[in-house]
Amino acid sequence: MADLTFYTNPMSRGRIVRWMLEETGADYDTVFVRYGPGMQTADYKAINPMMKVPAIVHKGKTVTECAAICAYLADAFPEAGLAPTPDERADYYRWMFFAAGPWEQASTNKSMGFEVPPDKSGMAGYGDFDRTLSTLVGAVTAHPYVCGERFNAADVYVGSHIAWGMQFGSIPPTPALQEYVGRLMARPAYTRGTEKDDAAIAEYGPPMPAG
Ligand SMILES: N[C@@H](CCC(=O)N[C@@H](CS)C(=O)NCC(=O)O)C(=O)O
């Protein structure tokens, strides 16, 4: 048994963490948690009181939130080279937090039909959807990777948002974004992660029924 346990559902944001885990090369156990009552058990609530996936428990410590998990794993497995170099750190923190905060909120609100009234955009952390989108797109198209010339954990997290946004229609698939996502999807760890989660879906059947 590994000292790293990954709690996920294969049809969830857990796919981001799965990819990150595969990038680290770490040995880990996977626990699939079903939607609904499966996430509301006392045991799982003790791991994540939000009753959401993903979560990891590493050496007795729990980490939730995809962005935090990606950053944590990059630090915990430095030999994988996924943590930022000193020169990359400014972009790394900036765009990880931007994607987890303003972009997550803007894209969720958009998909649910919530709009910030124009006279209230100064009070919304993301301002408005279009500004948030163009800022995010600018960040990932300025260089081959989020922090410059080198792939790191920020690409796992930010790049997953870009790929999902293009897939679900909230991000226009420009050639520059398609090239960026193509570089990410060509990574063997991305393929391994996708295959593992798709195999779990095939085994359990979508959408992993409750209970
Ligand atoms: N902010 C969290 C979001 C986690 C989240 O919303 N997970 C969804 C699946 S993608 C979930 O577990 N939903 C089940 C529920 O809320 O009942 C993160 O980044 O990890």
Side-chain angles (χ1 to χ4, degrees):
M1 206 173 130
D3 64 1
L4 175 56
T5 305
F6 171 41
Y7 295 85
T8 193
N9 183 296
M11 292 182 78
S12 77
R13 290 169 173 86
R15 293 176 80 100
I16 301 173
V17 170
R18 168 80 78 182
W19 173 20
M20 183 67 197
L21 283 162
E22 293 294 324
E23 290 282 356
T24 65
D27 187 22
Y28 65 94
D29 297 319
T30 303
V31 175
F32 290 114
V33 188
R34 292 176 188 269
Y35 282 114
M39 294 185 194
Q40 293 155 12
T41 63
D43 282 354
Y44 192 67
K45 253 168 139 170
I47 292 165
N48 189 357
M50 288 294 286
M51 294 178 278
K52 285 177 174 287
V53 289
I56 62 163
V57 178
H58 182 220
K59 297 181 178 172
K61 297 281 187 192
T62 300
V63 190
T64 62
E65 298 301 317
C66 290
I69 297 170
C70 288
Y72 173 87
L73 290 172
D75 290 343
F77 299 96
E79 61 284 1
L82 299 164
T85 62
D87 192 46
E88 292 169 346
R89 218 169 277 159
D91 284 329
Y92 183 84
Y93 288 120
R94 182 180 182 189
W95 300 116
M96 282 279 230
F97 281 75
F98 188 87
W103 174 251
E104 256 271 357
Q105 195 180 6
S107 59
T108 301
N109 282 356
K110 172 113 176 155
S111 72
M112 293 181 179
F114 301 135
E115 288 222 11
V116 176
D119 64 323
K120 299 274 192 304
S121 72
M123 291 161 65
Y126 70 91
D128 64 62
F129 179 83
D130 290 342
R131 218 188 318 161
T132 311
L133 173 62
S134 63
T135 302
L136 184 71
V137 169
V140 301
T141 52
H143 329 274
Y145 295 102
V146 171
C147 299
E149 301 299 315
R150 198 184 72 98
F151 174 89
N152 69 24
D155 294 290
V156 175
Y157 185 68
V158 179
S160 294
H161 277 290
I162 299 283
W164 285 4
M166 291 202 304
Q167 187 182 343
F168 295 115
S170 58
I171 299 182
T174 61
L177 288 179
Q178 281 173 326
E179 272 174 37
Y180 172 60
V181 168
R183 276 195 290 283
L184 303 184
M185 290 185 174
R187 297 183 67 81
Y190 178 89
T191 306
R192 279 199 306 278
T194 300
E195 284 174 356
K196 286 184 183 180
D197 280 326
D198 288 350
I201 293 170
E203 187 176 346
Y204 295 105
M208 290 199 79

